[in-house]
């Protein structure tokens, strides 16, 4: 990677996935003098270790769910007795969105603890975090930072469950929309003041300054906004809806973060319209997705005004086929969520992907609220 950047005179590297960040790619690039957007290995622990983040929150009084860090199945099973039901069980490390269980019964909770320590998640399951279940609605908030300056970068809501009505196992995300109206300006201000800004300050104070995008998963509880977890990258499918709304020059913002001069730029500008994306996944996802299914109709979908982002596709002798679990992100805009949803599903219906499926209710909470207006 370093040799390629030198040979091609690369002026900015944006590290997209979380695994290379946790592995230290940004450090290697910075060490070679290459401007890079993305946190260091030490700072990427905010996503790479749930226990690291929880303990940071505890040290700096950042509101989050009560938790316990456990290092064995026996410790985990014993800790469950100190939490009520429902309870949340998370593999500590990176598990591609699949190491989290919201257990509704004691039996489910015990099974989740045993699964994490069974080796299924590899190193990600070497430790686990048992968390208090938070009541409320989830929203995602994004900020750009160069380690000192912090600027808001939009909000979104995603749908983690694989099935309509938020049923079935958790996934990396089956769809999203932006902005998230439930994250009102007042609540967004609270999230910045009590959660995101204190995190950036804490990371700098502890010698691991955070530079890049900080994606805060939030729960809007009756007691106020609380942090669920952090991601150290834009996220999928949240990134797609943010990009559809962004009106500012993205590379200019990212380079300013990389060069520690974010304060010199005006705040990012976003369209007031809603963007909504629907994930088309391969049958069998999230467990064993079918590969190789033919995909046709992308041009027809985009002729409706939508944009189709490729997530898990490949060319097989000139034909577009599925090569991953989440395959396409079909993304459209509208004045409100209802309009954006209608436009996105019009585009979805133009695509011929017999081995694929999608949820048909992305944005359902906000569509229901808009119907009552």
């Amino acid at each position: 990677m370093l040799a390629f950047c030198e040979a091609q005179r690369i002026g900015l590297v944006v590290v997209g996935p979380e695994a290379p960040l946790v592995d230290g790619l940004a450090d290697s690039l910075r060490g070679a003098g290459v401007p890079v957007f993305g946190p260091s290995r030490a700072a990427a622990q905010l996503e790479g270790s749930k226990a690291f983040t929880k303990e940071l929150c505890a040290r700096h009084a950042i509101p989050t769910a009560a938790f316990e860090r456990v290092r064995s199945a026996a410790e985990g099973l014993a800790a469950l007795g100190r939490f009520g039901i429902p309870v949340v069980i998370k593999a500590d490390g990176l598990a591609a969105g699949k190491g989290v269980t919201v257990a509704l019964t004691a039996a489910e909770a015990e099974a989740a603890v045993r699964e994490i320590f069974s080796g299924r998640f590899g190193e990600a399951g070497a430790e686990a975090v048992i968390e208090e279940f938070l009541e409320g609605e989830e929203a995602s908030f994004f900020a750009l930072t160069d380690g000192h300056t912090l600027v808001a970068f939009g909000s979104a809501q995603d749908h983690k469950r694989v099935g309509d009505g938020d049923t079935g196992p958790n996934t990396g995300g089956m769809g999203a929309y932006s902005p998230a109206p439930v994250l009102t300006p007042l609540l967004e201000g609270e999230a910045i003041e009590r959660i995101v800004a204190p995190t950036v300050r804490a990371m700098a104070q502890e010698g691991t300054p955070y530079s890049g995008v900080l994606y805060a998963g939030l729960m809007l509880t009756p007691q106020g906004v609380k942090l669920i977890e952090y991601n150290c990258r834009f996220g999928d499918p949240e990134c797609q809806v943010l990009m559809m709304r962004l009106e500012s020059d993205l590379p200019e913002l990212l380079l300013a973060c990389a060069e520690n001069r974010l304060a010199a730029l005006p705040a990012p500008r976003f369209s007031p319209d809603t963007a909504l994306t629907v994930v088309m996944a391969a049958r069998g996802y999230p467990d064993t997705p079918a590969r190789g299914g033919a995909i046709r109709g992308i041009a027809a979908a985009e002729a409706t005004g939508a944009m189709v982002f490729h997530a898990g596709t490949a060319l097989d002798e000139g034909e577009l086929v599925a090569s991953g679990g989440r395959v396409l992100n079909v993304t459209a805009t509208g004045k409100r969520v209802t309009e954006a949803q209608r436009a996105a599903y019009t585009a979805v219906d133009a695509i011929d992907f017999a081995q694929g499926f999608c949820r048909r209710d992305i944005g359902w909470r906000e569509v229901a609220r808009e119907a009552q207006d």
Side-chain angles (χ1 to χ4, degrees):
M1 184 71 73
L2 293 174
F4 176 86
C5 289
E6 182 178 353
Q8 301 298 323
R9 299 182 181 179
I10 299 300
L12 174 67
V13 174
V14 180
V15 185
E18 65 275 27
L21 290 167
V22 171
D23 195 43
L25 177 58
D27 303 77
S28 300
L29 291 163
R30 286 194 183 97
V34 180
V36 56
F37 179 82
S40 67
R41 179 177 186 169
Q45 288 181 92
L46 280 176
E47 179 169 4
S49 170
K50 295 173 182 65
F52 172 90
T53 299
K54 295 299 247 181
E55 290 171 354
L56 182 90
C57 289
R59 288 194 300 275
H60 295 273
I62 295 168
T64 188
F67 75 99
E68 193 163 334
R69 181 180 194 167
V70 297
R71 295 172 174 84
S72 69
E75 274 189 35
L77 293 171
L80 288 176
R82 294 185 281 278
F83 291 82
I85 294 293
V87 64
V88 182
I89 299 99
K90 298 179 177 178
D92 178 62
L94 300 178
K98 298 177 184 126
V100 178
T101 298
V102 179
L104 302 179
T105 67
E108 278 185 89
E110 291 168 8
V113 168
R114 290 193 177 96
E115 181 182 44
I116 286 173
F117 289 103
S118 71
R120 178 184 172 190
F121 301 112
E123 290 183 9
E127 296 186 9
V129 171
I130 315 294
E131 286 187 18
E132 165 198 17
F133 176 78
L134 295 177
E135 293 276 2
E137 190 166 344
E138 289 187 42
S140 301
F141 173 75
F142 301 81
L144 300 184
T145 180
D146 56 12
H148 308 284
T149 300
L150 178 77
V151 298
F153 200 76
S155 65
Q157 272 193 307
D158 75 336
H159 297 67
K160 291 292 188 196
R161 300 280 187 171
V162 74
D164 286 6
D166 293 325
T167 57
N170 270 317
T171 73
M174 295 300 294
Y177 58 92
S178 174
V182 293
L183 193 65
T184 63
L186 184 65
L187 291 175
E188 183 174 303
E190 181 183 336
I192 294 170
E193 182 180 346
R194 300 189 63 208
I195 297 173
V196 183
T199 299
V200 173
R201 286 196 300 269
M203 294 294 283
Q205 288 167 10
E206 297 193 3
T208 53
Y210 188 99
S211 176
V213 60
L214 194 53
Y215 164 174
L218 306 172
M219 186 69 79
L220 312 182
T221 79
Q223 295 77 39
V225 182
K226 294 189 179 184
L227 177 70
I228 302 171
E229 62 185 18
Y230 279 123
N231 289 336
C232 59
R233 27 86 198 194
F234 282 108
D236 174 9
E238 294 84 0
C239 184
Q240 289 87 330
V241 289
L242 290 173
M243 293 302 113
M244 290 289 280
R245 297 182 53 236
L246 180 65
E247 295 178 339
S248 298
D249 185 324
L250 180 66
E252 182 180 44
L253 287 163
L254 305 190
L255 186 59
C257 285
E259 296 179 341
N260 298 309
R261 52 180 181 81
L262 188 58
L265 295 187
R269 298 185 318 277
F270 286 89
S271 164
D273 287 353
T274 292
L276 184 144
T277 189
V278 177
V279 171
M280 299 190 75
R283 294 205 181 278
Y285 178 77
D287 296 321
T288 52
R291 292 174 177 261
I295 305 165
R296 304 179 183 90
I298 301 294
E302 294 194 326
T304 69
M307 181 174 288
V308 180
F309 294 88
H310 292 244
T313 62
L315 287 173
D316 182 4
E317 297 182 355
E319 182 173 49
L320 189 69
V321 298
S323 63
R326 290 183 295 165
V327 178
L328 301 171
N329 291 80
V330 184
T331 315
T333 59
K335 294 299 181 187
R336 306 180 81 196
V337 175
T338 303
E339 183 182 328
Q341 184 197 61
R342 187 181 306 117
Y345 282 110
T346 297
V348 165
D349 291 339
I351 295 173
D352 177 8
F353 180 22
Q355 294 300 309
F357 75 98
C358 67
R359 282 184 56 165
R360 301 296 307 190
D361 64 346
I362 301 302
W364 67 268
R365 288 186 187 86
E366 203 56 43
V367 169
R369 283 191 279 258
E370 289 178 359
Q372 295 174 352
D373 289 351

